[in-house]
Amino acid sequence: KVIGRLTRIVIETIDGKQVLSKDSAGFKRLLTRMSFIFRMCKIIPRVGVKMSVILVSICYIKRVGPEYISALSLSEFVYDQHCLGALVIASKYVNDICLWNCHWARYIERFPQNDIDRFEREFLAGLAWKLRVTEVDLLTSHSFISHGL
């Protein structure tokens, strides 16, 4: 449920609330979304991401907004780039001892370390290096996970 909510907010942030068309482009985008959700359902438990990291990731994803998204290349891995950038940064912010990017790359298996480094740098730029998270931010993220708001 939690991973589903996280992936939903990533997809909505990138695509907005757009309805997929019924042509081949819409079908391809649907497949891209489904593969992203499937990958995150495998990666998040494998890495051992804690709830606190997911809550902070949601805060960061909501904070960067459409300006950051327009700067991303709209490749088939744009969802992964956005989600992993948030997770890596949130993990480093929340945890005293965290995974290095080479470990993320090893667990993920799809992206090499230099891609993880780039996702992190680009997401940090999108956040303007403002990593602080308030109690209100966390409560908003928690209510999103709990109630799907």
Side-chain angles (χ1 to χ4, degrees), residues 4-18 29 33 36-37 58 61-62 65-66 69 79 82 144 148-149:
R5 302 286 177 146
L6 174 64
T7 55
R8 187 177 112 199
I9 192 171
V10 170
I11 290 169
E12 286 177 357
T13 302
I14 292 171
D15 292 346
K17 305 243 187 222
Q18 78 180 37
R29 195 66 164 180
R33 288 177 177 181
F36 161 67
I37 293 167
I58 290 172
I61 290 166
K62 287 184 169 198
I69 300 303
Y79 302 120
H82 197 63
F144 177 80
L149 300 174

Side-chain angles (χ1 to χ4, degrees), residues 72-103:
L72 291 176
S73 62
L74 290 177
S75 72
E76 69 177 289
F77 300 114
V78 67
Y79 302 120
D80 300 80
Q81 180 177 351
H82 197 63
C83 190
L84 291 172
L87 286 170
V88 168
I89 293 166
S91 173
K92 291 178 179 181
Y93 184 75
V94 170
N95 298 321
D96 290 332
I97 300 172
C98 61
L99 295 175
W100 294 359
N101 290 1
C102 63
H103 298 124

Side-chain angles (χ1 to χ4, degrees), residues 115-144:
D115 282 348
I116 302 298
D117 294 342
R118 183 174 48 86
F119 299 166
E120 180 183 26
R121 280 191 312 272
E122 290 175 357
F123 204 90
L124 281 167
L127 287 170
W129 288 83
K130 295 178 182 168
L131 303 181
R132 182 173 181 261
V133 177
T134 65
E135 183 179 355
V136 173
D137 294 333
L138 291 174
L139 290 172
T140 303
S141 293
H142 184 269
S143 71
F144 177 80

Side-chain angles (χ1 to χ4, degrees), residues 104-122:
W104 280 93
R106 193 173 308 140
Y107 284 126
I108 293 168
E109 298 174 348
R110 178 172 287 274
F111 303 105
Q113 180 183 343
N114 60 344
D115 282 348
I116 302 298
D117 294 342
R118 183 174 48 86
F119 299 166
E120 180 183 26
R121 280 191 312 272
E122 290 175 357

